[in-house]
Amino acid sequence: MDKMTQELHDFLLQHVSEMAQEWLDSREIEENSVYTADASSEVTEYLREQNHYFTRTIVHVLKDGSFKKLSGWAQEIATKRAHLGNPLYQSIRHFKTFRFIFFKRVEAFIDLHQSTIKQRDILLWTKTLNEAFDKMIELFTMYYGQVAEAQVYAQKMIISELSTPVISISDTVGVLPLIGQIDDYKSNDFVERIMMQAKDLELSCLVIDLSGVPSIDTMMTNELFQVVDMLDLLGIDTTITGIRPEIALTAVQLGLDFTKIKTYGKLKDAVSDLLYER
């Protein structure tokens, strides 16, 4: 590392605390966010420490040009942000804000040493430090995505492992409430358990409630119809409830045919009629 790069390295480390405070002062009120300006003093100090470590890690790249040490910070903080449920865009916005603060200090150093700094030095520093920021954001995004995907997978496993997906409400009538995208239930094991449970409960009718399904497409509807056909082979009638207006509109636009299946707007209406009939 040449003399001027060493001086820039040392200058930036001397201003770590000032940069962290400027970043903390730039925060705004953000609901349900670790970055919110009205966070507790404990959270603020926690963010300050993280920022100090982040800055030192970025500055260290000037010394050896290596990005190897960036991964540790990115993985640790991205994992914490994902577990807290902070949206990724918030973290990216704060990366952007701090980059601006950081490069103001680089500009201040250049202004102090205009007579001795060469143009190629400025270009090299700008390239190296911007690459360090970009690499950190890339790593942060990657690790955040990995944790988020793992959380979604865990949630799906919880849904999949529910011991009683079919709720028996009488000797012959059961209810299957679906939540989320129908595609989330696209599993032979899930469908098989529905069939087995409906048969074991000796149901003559299964009500599939779509109140918790936000949207539907042709592929998802085909999955639903396959379940209906399989139930029919077992001698079990199917009733569908809770078709939301947006789903009904999509069904019409896609030309989907629900006419062969008994439908109700509300689950309670279907249950009332079915229990009365039986």
Side-chain angles (χ1 to χ4, degrees), residues 64-111:
D64 59 10
S66 173
F67 298 145
K68 292 181 180 179
K69 293 189 175 182
L70 303 182
S71 183
W73 185 93
Q75 184 173 22
E76 177 187 348
I77 306 306
T79 300
K80 290 179 178 178
R81 294 292 183 273
H83 283 154
L84 284 172
N86 278 119
L88 182 58
Y89 75 85
Q90 289 182 350
S91 295
I92 300 301
R93 186 173 68 240
H94 283 278
F95 272 118
K96 180 180 177 181
T97 298
F98 187 71
R99 189 201 295 246
F100 177 77
I101 292 169
F102 183 91
F103 273 93
K104 281 200 305 182
R105 289 301 187 284
V106 176
E107 291 174 5
F109 176 81
I110 293 171
D111 289 341

Side-chain angles (χ1 to χ4, degrees), residues 177-191:
L178 297 182
I179 301 172
Q181 298 292 344
I182 291 178
D183 199 41
D184 293 344
Y185 299 88
K186 187 179 179 181
S187 162
N188 290 332
D189 178 60
F190 183 80
V191 173

